[in-house]
């Protein structure tokens, strides 16, 4: 277990932003993770868990406390059952399942970060979410001071949400278990219209899992959503805002604002979200509110490839990024009456 003091945190995030931590511990085993968490709790020291750093916005002042970087390793594939240590690279794990001919997470290729973060955010993209394949999450319960195993139905999964996100100071994910599908090398049914169109198939069809993965990687790269250390247009936290989910009344008011601003013939993206709810596109809202690709003149700008990504063009500060985010939030609400919610976790700061 490595320990550093006054340690920079920016290099551990995909945004390359944030000040130092009072102390940074790198744990490579579950026992080291648990020991570090127990020590912080015993001394009432604030604790920040860091995995791949792809979903973190850290204050320029840094973090006064212990930052625990989870660097555990371990992949176990037994038939269709997969277990990943929390510190495993997610994108590499997806590639391994595709190589093994298994289906279920192939459309989650290219998402940066670690396996342990996926249940927290209920990571999803291109028609798949990890909640559809996660069978169990093994975590250290700080409140009970013991390791617990939570089955899927105890994880409280919802759109970009989970029990772990709802109570961030209670659980530290150690391992994640998945139940995948052996479809003879084929993918799960393609659920995302854009993916189906590029593949030249109908929604619900299957294609070779490797083809689905490669297609998603190309789509993500085209939107600047595959991290490239040499390309500042990918220095982001991925999608900075979640897609708004509106009640029937909210959606009706939204449609009225769209007609007023853009004309009666304009129909915004809309997807059923259950229980009379409708999900619309944050990217569409941002663009139609006037924040187009590449928007901004400072070191923090909207990606030139995707309006949902706020990027560090080099030399930006966290406050530069948040000033841009606040401008976008205010502009979208003024235009359409829809509040945007940040997707990445804010540490020592906020919108």
């Amino acid at each position: 277990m490595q320990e550093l003091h006054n340690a920079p945190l920016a290099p551990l995030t995909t945004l390359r932003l944030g000040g130092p931590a009072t102390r940074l511990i790198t744990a490579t085993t579950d026992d080291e993770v648990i020991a570090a968490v127990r020590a912080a709790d015993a001394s009432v020291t604030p604790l920040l868990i860091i995995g791949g750093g792809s979903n973190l916005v850290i204050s320029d002042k840094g973090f006064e406390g212990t930052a625990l970087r989870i660097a555990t390793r371990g992949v176990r594939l037994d038939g269709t059952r997969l277990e990943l240590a929390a510190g495993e690279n997610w994108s590499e794990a997806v590639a391994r399942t595709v190589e093994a001919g298994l289906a279920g997470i192939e459309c989650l290729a290219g998402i940066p970060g670690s396996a342990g973060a996926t249940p927290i955010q209920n990571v999803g993209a291109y028609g798949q979410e990890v909640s559809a394949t996660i069978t169990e999450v093994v975590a250290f319960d700080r409140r009970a001071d013991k390791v617990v195993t939570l089955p899927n139905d105890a994880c409280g999964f919802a759109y970009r949400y989970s029990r772990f996100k709802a109570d961030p100071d209670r659980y530290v994910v150690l391992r994640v278990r998945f139940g995948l599908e052996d479809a003879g090398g084929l993918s799960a049914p393609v659920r995302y219209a854009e993916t189906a169109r590029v593949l030249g198939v109908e929604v619900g069809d299957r294609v070779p899992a490797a083809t689905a993965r490669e297609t998603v990687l190309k789509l993500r790269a085209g939107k600047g959503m595959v991290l490239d250390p040499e390309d500042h247009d990918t220095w982001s936290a991925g999608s900075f805002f979640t897609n708004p989910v509106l009640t029937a009344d909210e959606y009706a008011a939204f449609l009225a604002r769209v007609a007023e601003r853009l004309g009666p013939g304009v129909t915004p993206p809309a997807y059923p979200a259950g229980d009379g709810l409708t999900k619309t596109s944050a990217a569409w809202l941002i663009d139609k509110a006037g924040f187009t690709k590449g928007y901004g003149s400072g070191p923090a700008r909207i990606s030139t490839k995707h309006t949902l990504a706020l990027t560090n063009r080099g030399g930006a500060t966290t406050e530069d990024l948040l000033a841009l985010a606040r401008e976008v939030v205010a502009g979208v609400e003024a235009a359409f009456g829809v509040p945007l919610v940040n997707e990445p976790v804010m540490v020592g700061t906020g919108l």
Side-chain angles (χ1 to χ4, degrees), residues 11 35 44 85 193 205 286 297 304:
V44 198
D205 288 349
I286 293 166
S297 58
T304 64

Side-chain angles (χ1 to χ4, degrees), residues 170-244:
R170 179 168 181 177
Y171 298 102
V172 179
V173 176
L174 301 174
R175 278 164 279 151
V176 188
R177 294 170 179 155
F178 300 82
L180 304 176
E181 179 188 6
D182 185 351
L186 295 179
S187 69
V190 177
R191 299 297 183 196
Y192 198 70
E194 182 184 19
T195 313
R197 177 180 56 78
V198 173
L199 286 165
V201 300
E202 297 295 322
V203 171
D205 288 349
R206 295 178 185 261
V207 298
T211 302
R213 174 180 173 271
E214 290 160 9
T215 298
V216 165
L217 286 173
K218 288 177 182 177
L219 286 170
R220 291 185 65 84
K223 298 174 182 178
M225 294 291 190
V226 176
L227 184 63
D228 180 353
E230 303 302 317
D231 182 3
H232 286 266
D233 216 29
T234 71
W235 285 26
S236 75
S239 298
F240 199 88
F241 301 103
T242 58
N243 289 323

Side-chain angles (χ1 to χ4, degrees), residues 3-310:
E3 182 174 333
L4 300 173
H5 294 268
N6 196 31
L9 295 180
L12 302 182
T13 73
T14 53
L15 274 164
R16 307 295 197 273
L17 294 177
T22 307
R23 183 171 68 154
L24 171 64
I25 292 175
T26 299
T28 58
T29 68
D30 288 355
D31 286 344
E32 288 181 353
V33 171
I34 293 168
V37 173
R38 280 178 168 153
D41 289 346
S43 59
V44 198
T45 301
L47 181 67
L48 171 64
I49 304 296
I50 299 178
S54 61
N55 204 44
L56 284 179
V57 178
I58 300 174
S59 162
D60 290 317
K61 294 180 180 179
F63 183 71
E64 293 186 9
T66 296
L68 172 58
R69 178 170 171 260
I70 298 181
T72 53
R73 294 291 180 266
V75 178
R76 186 171 67 183
L77 190 57
D78 181 11
T80 58
R81 293 176 296 178
L82 171 70
E83 179 180 285
L84 299 174
E88 280 292 331
N89 179 283
W90 173 252
S91 191
E92 292 175 5
V94 171
R96 292 182 69 159
T97 66
V98 171
E99 289 168 5
L102 300 177
I105 57 175
E106 63 280 354
C107 291
L108 302 178
I111 294 177
S114 62
T118 60
I120 298 171
Q121 193 75 3
N122 186 14
V123 164
Y126 295 98
Q128 291 182 346
E129 288 183 331
V130 292
S131 58
T133 51
I134 287 177
T135 57
E136 294 178 330
V137 176
V138 180
F140 179 66
D141 184 339
R142 297 168 66 183
R143 195 172 300 164
D145 191 34
K146 66 179 182 179
V147 174
V148 296
T149 300
L150 300 173
N152 181 289
D153 60 5
C155 292
F157 289 126
Y159 172 63
R160 302 298 173 270
Y161 196 73
S162 71
R163 179 176 185 172
F164 313 105
K165 188 173 183 179
D167 198 355
D169 295 327
R170 179 168 181 177
Y171 298 102
V172 179
V173 176
L174 301 174
R175 278 164 279 151
V176 188
R177 294 170 179 155
F178 300 82
L180 304 176
E181 179 188 6
D182 185 351
L186 295 179
S187 69
V190 177
R191 299 297 183 196
Y192 198 70
E194 182 184 19
T195 313
R197 177 180 56 78
V198 173
L199 286 165
V201 300
E202 297 295 322
V203 171
D205 288 349
R206 295 178 185 261
V207 298
T211 302
R213 174 180 173 271
E214 290 160 9
T215 298
V216 165
L217 286 173
K218 288 177 182 177
L219 286 170
R220 291 185 65 84
K223 298 174 182 178
M225 294 291 190
V226 176
L227 184 63
D228 180 353
E230 303 302 317
D231 182 3
H232 286 266
D233 216 29
T234 71
W235 285 26
S236 75
S239 298
F240 199 88
F241 301 103
T242 58
N243 289 323
V245 177
L246 308 176
T247 66
D249 288 344
E250 289 169 342
Y251 185 61
F254 167 54
L255 290 179
R257 295 286 285 270
V258 170
E260 178 185 338
R261 181 180 177 89
L262 304 176
V266 176
T267 303
Y271 313 94
D275 297 325
L277 302 175
T278 301
K279 181 166 64 176
T280 191
S281 165
W284 187 91
L285 288 167
I286 293 166
D287 179 72
K288 298 305 181 185
F291 303 100
T292 54
K293 295 174 184 175
Y295 179 88
S297 58
R301 304 179 196 175
I302 292 177
S303 166
T304 64
K305 301 181 182 72
H306 200 296
T307 54
L308 266 185
L310 307 188

